[in-house]
Amino acid sequence: MTSLRVPMLSMLVSLYSVSVLGVQIFWGDNPDLVDQSNPRQGKEDIKLMVSLVGDNIDLQCLVVQARQPVRNINWKINGGLVNTPDSQTVISNGKVFAEIEDHFKIDNITEDKDGSKVSCEYSKGHNAHRMAAVFHVLKLEIVTSGYVCDNCNGDVKLVFESKASSSAEANVEKRIKSRIADMTNTKSDEITAINGKYSVVLPIGTVKENQAILAMEHKFLKDGFVSGSLTECLCESSGKGGGARIGIFLGILFVMAVGSIVNVNHFLNPQDS
C-alpha cells in the first residue's frame, strides 16, 4: 500500500507545482548577460547585457509550462515591438503544456544601443509574463601622441566606455573587465575603471598586431585631436617598433655620406675627371 502512495503523492505534487507556478519565463545561457549586484525593489528581474561595439548579439527566451495552444513570444526595444519572423520554436509539445523558445539577434551592434532595454514577453488571456535586459555597449577610443605614432615606439591607451555603465555595478564591471582582458591579452587588475570608462595601456607594436582591436570600430586621438585610425601608424609587423623606418633613415644617411665623399674627392683631384 505504501508503495502505491509514493508515486501517487509524487504525481500530486507535480500537478500542484504546475498549477501554482503556471507559465515560467527564463533567459537562455549567455555569459554576457549578468544579474544586478544590488537590484532595486521591483527591478529584480532586469538583467544587464555587456557587449562591445561590433558584437553579434543572440538573446534566447525560454517559456515553460505554456498551456496549449501556445501564443507567440514578443520582443520589444524600449517599449517598441520588434518583428522576429519565424524565430520561435517548440522544444516540447505536450497535450496540455508546451515549452517554447525564441531568439532576438542583433548583428554588429552599434553604440546607439547603449542603455537600451530589450524585453521578452509572453501573454495569454489576462496573464502576462516578461523579463528585460539593459544593454551596456562599450565603444573604443585609442589615445596616443604624434611621436609614438610617427616613430612606432611607445605606449597607447585604450579607453572603453559605456554611458550605461557609469554607475557602480559590480557584476557589470567584472564582466566588462573580463571582455577587455580577453581582447587585449591582459589581466583584469591591469584595467583601470573610472565612471564607466575602462582603460588599459599597451605598447603600440602590441596593439598593431592585435587583429581584434584593429577590427573594432574606434575613435583615434593623436596629440588630443581626432585623427583617422590607428592604422595610419605604419609599424612593422614584428611589433618592435620603428625598425623599418630607422633602417630606411640609415640607408639614406649612407647614400648621402658616399655622395659627400665622392664630391670631396672630385674637388681635391679635379684632374681625375
Side-chain angles (χ1 to χ4, degrees):
M1 188 69 174
T2 304
S3 60
L4 292 175
R5 289 179 179 176
V6 173
M8 184 175 294
L9 179 61
S10 177
M11 183 177 67
L12 289 174
V13 170
S14 178
L15 291 173
Y16 176 78
S17 299
V18 169
S19 62
V20 171
L21 295 176
V23 175
Q24 298 179 69
I25 189 168
F26 305 96
W27 289 114
D29 290 338
N30 189 321
D32 290 326
L33 197 60
V34 301
D35 293 320
Q36 299 179 69
S37 57
N38 188 24
R40 290 180 296 173
Q41 187 174 3
K43 303 291 184 180
E44 296 87 355
D45 61 331
I46 298 178
K47 288 185 176 282
L48 309 171
M49 179 70 187
V50 175
S51 62
L52 304 177
V53 167
D55 279 354
N56 294 327
I57 306 300
D58 184 359
L59 291 175
Q60 180 190 30
C61 180
L62 300 167
V63 177
V64 300
Q65 296 179 0
R67 186 175 289 275
Q68 296 281 20
V70 297
R71 300 294 180 88
N72 288 332
I73 294 173
N74 292 319
W75 293 92
K76 293 181 180 180
I77 292 185
N78 297 326
L81 190 64
V82 179
N83 186 26
T84 55
D86 303 323
S87 59
Q88 180 169 304
T89 57
V90 177
I91 303 172
S92 174
N93 199 12
K95 290 184 178 181
V96 180
F97 298 102
E99 296 181 12
I100 57 177
E101 69 167 355
D102 200 2
H103 289 260
F104 177 77
K105 297 181 180 182
I106 299 178
D107 293 332
N108 192 24
I109 193 169
T110 51
E111 178 189 343
D112 64 316
K113 292 295 188 294
D114 186 34
S116 295
K117 182 167 72 173
V118 60
S119 61
C120 167
E121 303 182 3
Y122 182 83
S123 59
K124 188 171 183 179
H126 298 292
N127 299 316
H129 306 268
R130 65 178 58 86
M131 57 186 180
V134 176
F135 284 126
H136 292 248
V137 184
L138 291 116
K139 62 182 181 180
L140 172 61
E141 186 175 271
I142 300 179
V143 183
T144 191
S145 67
Y147 175 84
V148 171
C149 181
D150 295 340
N151 294 277
C152 235
N153 187 17
D155 294 333
V156 299
K157 178 187 281 189
L158 308 181
V159 183
F160 298 82
E161 181 183 7
S162 164
K163 292 181 180 179
S165 303
S166 58
S167 59
E169 170 52 60
N171 291 339
V172 169
E173 180 171 308
K174 182 179 179 180
R175 184 56 189 167
I176 288 175
K177 285 187 173 183
S178 177
R179 287 293 308 272
I180 295 173
D182 288 343
M183 170 184 271
T184 59
N185 297 315
T186 56
K187 297 179 179 179
S188 294
D189 58 9
E190 298 177 71
I191 301 167
T192 302
I194 301 177
N195 296 328
K197 292 185 177 182
Y198 299 81
S199 60
V200 60
V201 177
L202 295 170
I204 187 170
T206 300
V207 176
K208 287 283 291 182
E209 289 184 340
N210 189 314
Q211 295 303 313
I213 295 174
L214 296 179
M216 184 175 174
E217 181 182 332
H218 61 269
K219 179 189 290 185
F220 182 50
L221 293 179
K222 185 168 62 175
D223 291 328
F225 296 96
V226 177
S227 190
S229 72
L230 185 66
T231 55
E232 69 185 56
C233 304
L234 301 176
C235 302
E236 62 176 351
S237 60
S238 66
K240 295 179 181 178
R245 294 188 179 189
I246 292 174
I248 294 172
F249 179 68
L250 292 176
I252 293 173
L253 288 179
F254 176 76
V255 172
M256 292 175 63
V258 171
S260 298
I261 292 173
V262 171
N263 290 334
V264 170
N265 184 59
H266 176 74
F267 177 78
L268 294 177
N269 303 285
Q271 66 278 9
D272 293 339
S273 58

